[in-house]
Amino acid sequence: MSEPQPSPGTLTAYAQSLGIVFHSVEDGAPVLSFEFSGDVEGRPGHLHGGATSGLLETAGYALLRNELARLERTHRLKPINITVQFLNAGKQRTTYAKARITKLGRRNANISVEAWQDDRDRPIATAIMNILMAEQDSPA
């Protein structure tokens, strides 16, 4: 079974509006990124927290969708909760994010995501995502 590769068409309109792109694939997980611009600027010269959160969330969903496609499973994904921790101020640089599936169950997934800029060992933010995976035709 081959690894599904992310494509730009799988990004949401929100992600595309932030300028998020697929940067690379590491260990089967997509690494997403965006360039600093006025669209993602918060206080002068710094990355907006909402843009950082959007990158983290998009990276988490991208990994989960890839893994479900690899397993030939189809689900509607709904967030249960997402917790973002801002660790360092984002600067005027390219920002990257990569997710890791902590647990993939039948109905729920737990994902952790890190965002970094220059130094991968010094993340600017992390997120924990709990996602409900509903059957395609169920109301939940």
Side-chain angles (χ1 to χ4, degrees):
M1 192 176 326
S2 66
E3 287 283 321
Q5 296 298 313
S7 68
T10 59
L11 291 174
T12 64
Y14 174 68
Q16 292 176 22
S17 74
L18 291 175
I20 295 173
V21 296
F22 288 101
H23 178 265
S24 61
V25 176
E26 292 181 4
D27 304 321
V31 176
L32 276 57
S33 67
F34 63 53
E35 300 291 329
F36 186 87
S37 70
D39 293 338
V40 295
E41 185 173 20
R43 66 183 161 106
H46 293 82
L47 194 58
H48 191 281
T52 305
S53 299
L55 178 63
L56 290 164
E57 182 178 2
T58 301
Y61 279 116
L63 175 62
L64 182 56
R65 285 192 175 97
N66 275 7
E67 183 64 13
L68 292 174
R70 189 184 68 78
L71 297 172
E72 299 179 354
R73 292 171 54 180
T74 57
H75 296 276
R76 285 186 307 144
L77 304 179
K78 295 185 170 196
I80 297 171
N81 60 16
I82 299 173
T83 302
V84 177
Q85 295 179 318
F86 297 99
L87 306 173
N88 292 297
K91 306 289 188 199
Q92 297 180 13
R93 297 181 179 93
T94 303
T95 305
Y96 304 91
K98 180 182 173 191
R100 180 176 69 87
I101 295 175
T102 307
K103 180 182 178 188
L104 181 61
R106 194 170 51 86
R107 292 185 42 94
N108 298 317
N110 179 277
I111 301 166
S112 61
V113 193
E114 281 189 1
W116 70 94
Q117 292 184 316
D118 295 332
D119 184 356
R120 193 173 197 153
D121 293 330
R122 193 166 183 257
I124 63 168
T126 62
I128 299 294
M129 302 171 59
N130 292 299
I131 308 298
L132 173 67
M133 300 181 303
E135 297 298 324
Q136 284 290 353
D137 54 355
S138 74

